[in-house]
Amino acid sequence: MSLRNDYAADMFSFLYIEEEVWNHPRTKAIVDRFPQAVKIPVAHYQDIFDRTHQDYRMQKDSRALIIAAKHGTRIYHGAPVCQNFDEQYFYYCCTALNCIYDCSYCWLKGMYPTAHIVVFVNLEDYFSDIRNLLQQHPVYLCIAYETDLLPLESIIHQVEQWHAFARVEKNLTIELRTKCAAVNTLHKLEALDNFILAYTVSPDPVIQTLEKGTPALLERIHAINWCIDHGYPVRLCFDPLLYINGAKELYTEMAETVVQHIDLSRVKDISIGTFRMSNKYLKNMRKRFPDAAVVQYPYETDEGYSHYPRHIIREMEDALCNALLPYVDEKKIYREKEL
């Protein structure tokens, strides 16, 4: 079952608010969405977010929203395991931390000690940092790196503000990665060549068992087609491919469904990659989720990252590519980078 469009607006009963941003206009707009919530002032968001001895699994059923300002470094160079799509100046930023979805393989579960969600409201500081970078060179920026912004949009409205920023800064290209099928936010925005919607595409059995709360495959396909029809550049992300029982058949059937419903000649490009993760985050996930088969697999390691054996990576990527290539130019397909 997919999340309702207003799901995020119903889920937070506790709001932790940094004193610095208590009276910030964006804070007030968010707080107004939760008139019944308990509002607790804090000196710094990390006092709540980074506490020790938190129970991640229990918090997933009772998450708090933490409203804060981000100081220090705000714009980061892309990680080695990320596909950069031949972009020389590839960056990411985090205006929110953690995700309302509950994907069993999500690396955020190994990165952070909590399931609570942080929203940074000082977007102008991010915009200023990016303008400084743009004085040096063009910028390709992933804005939904440590969250999925689109299902949070009804309460934080950051997608709309990033879109407005991209409309003005022509040398900036923004990528919004999402699993969300609710396109009501996008109805209000004009399609921009430098605002890319990157949709994660997964087989329904994977969605039902390992991507809890996310939209079904056909729901995502409907959203993808709406975006294409309305002029948005759309990337299809078959990533991460998971080596589970019947994986080859699952992903081949998924590809058949995709090509039946989406004209691949109209997509910007396609990303394909298998599951991989920082050794540190995987170690944390194995402790927190001992019954999760996807993280207990005996991965190989290189340069601090865990991944499937090379022959499995090639087998899975080749099978998916072979299913897609009759319908799309091979130059549009970006495969996982080897470490």
Side-chain angles (χ1 to χ4, degrees):
M1 177 180 294
S2 63
L3 295 174
R4 302 188 321 274
N5 293 352
D6 61 347
Y7 178 88
D10 296 336
M11 68 184 305
F12 302 113
S13 56
F14 285 86
L15 305 180
Y16 293 94
I17 306 170
E18 280 189 347
E19 294 168 352
E20 175 187 348
V21 299
W22 188 273
N23 293 313
H24 193 288
R26 291 195 183 95
T27 301
K28 292 182 177 180
I30 294 171
V31 169
D32 286 346
R33 297 301 305 273
F34 305 95
Q36 305 302 319
V38 178
K39 304 165 187 65
I40 305 171
V42 295
H44 196 278
Y45 79 92
Q46 290 177 313
D47 296 340
I48 304 299
F49 195 70
D50 290 337
R51 287 182 301 184
T52 58
H53 308 298
Q54 300 190 68
D55 191 322
Y56 191 104
R57 288 180 292 183
M58 287 186 63
Q59 288 176 344
K60 267 292 182 182
D61 297 323
S62 181
R63 283 173 285 190
L65 182 64
I66 306 169
I67 305 172
K70 172 67 173 172
H71 297 293
T73 302
R74 284 177 285 259
I75 312 299
Y76 304 88
H77 288 281
V81 294
C82 294
Q83 178 59 257
N84 64 10
F85 306 101
D86 299 327
E87 296 287 345
Q88 182 177 1
Y89 303 109
F90 184 83
Y91 296 87
Y92 72 92
C93 70
C94 307
T95 53
L97 308 178
N98 267 339
C99 185
I100 66 171
Y101 294 141
D102 188 13
C103 299
S104 299
Y105 56 78
C106 182
W107 60 285
L108 297 178
K109 292 182 174 180
M111 182 178 185
Y112 295 130
T114 179
H116 297 327
I117 292 176
V118 177
V119 173
F120 297 119
V121 295
N122 57 324
L123 290 185
E124 285 77 14
D125 293 327
Y126 288 84
F127 297 161
S128 177
D129 293 347
I130 295 165
R131 287 192 183 99
N132 289 337
L133 275 177
L134 288 169
Q135 292 179 2
Q136 306 170 43
H137 50 65
V139 172
Y140 185 98
L141 182 71
C142 300
I143 62 170
Y145 190 76
E146 295 181 17
T147 190
D148 191 329
L149 285 176
L150 201 54
L152 289 170
E153 184 66 3
S154 64
I155 60 172
I156 67 175
H157 301 290
Q158 287 192 1
V159 172
E160 184 175 350
Q161 292 168 84
W162 278 112
H163 178 275
F165 186 61
R167 188 172 59 241
V168 174
E169 300 295 342
K170 302 303 182 182
N171 286 327
L172 169 67
T173 299
I174 283 178
E175 177 196 283
L176 175 65
R177 181 76 178 264
T178 188
K179 293 184 175 87
C180 182
V183 294
N184 50 312
T185 294
L186 304 176
H187 286 197
K188 302 179 293 183
L189 309 177
E190 64 175 315
L192 302 173
D193 290 340
N194 61 334
F195 196 87
I196 300 168
L197 296 169
Y199 275 91
T200 301
V201 185
S202 303
D204 272 325
V206 170
I207 293 171
Q208 292 159 7
T209 59
L210 300 176
E211 297 181 359
K212 296 177 182 177
T214 67
L217 176 58
L218 286 179
E219 292 180 278
R220 299 186 200 185
I221 287 173
H222 177 76
I224 289 165
N225 279 328
W226 185 94
C227 293
I228 292 172
D229 289 342
H230 286 80
Y232 283 93
V234 172
R235 171 172 294 133
L236 302 186
C237 301
F238 300 99
D239 183 0
L241 305 180
L242 302 172
Y243 188 61
I244 56 179
N245 289 336
K248 184 176 180 179
E249 292 75 17
L250 283 176
Y251 286 103
T252 300
E253 290 174 5
M254 174 202 65
E256 292 172 353
T257 301
V258 168
V259 300
Q260 287 172 6
H261 292 89
I262 299 174
D263 181 354
L264 295 189
S265 69
R266 301 177 69 196
V267 303
K268 175 180 174 58
D269 51 39
I270 292 171
S271 172
I272 296 176
T274 56
F275 177 87
R276 65 269 189 207
M277 184 180 292
S278 157
N279 293 342
K280 178 182 177 181
Y281 301 158
L282 184 62
K283 181 179 179 180
N284 291 338
M285 289 183 70
R286 284 173 168 169
K287 289 180 180 178
R288 294 171 186 167
F289 308 97
D291 299 327
V294 69
V295 298
Q296 298 302 335
Y297 183 90
Y299 296 100
E300 294 182 356
T301 61
D302 284 298
E303 300 182 16
Y305 290 90
S306 296
H307 56 82
Y308 292 121
R310 298 296 180 192
H311 73 278
I312 290 178
I313 294 174
R314 287 193 296 271
E315 177 184 332
M316 296 188 69
E317 290 189 358
D318 286 348
L320 184 56
C321 281
N322 289 338
L324 297 174
L325 279 175
Y327 307 93
V328 64
D329 188 333
E330 187 174 7
K331 294 178 181 178
K332 283 190 174 184
I333 298 179
Y334 289 86
R335 295 177 62 152
E336 178 181 337
K337 296 187 298 182
E338 289 194 10
L339 293 170

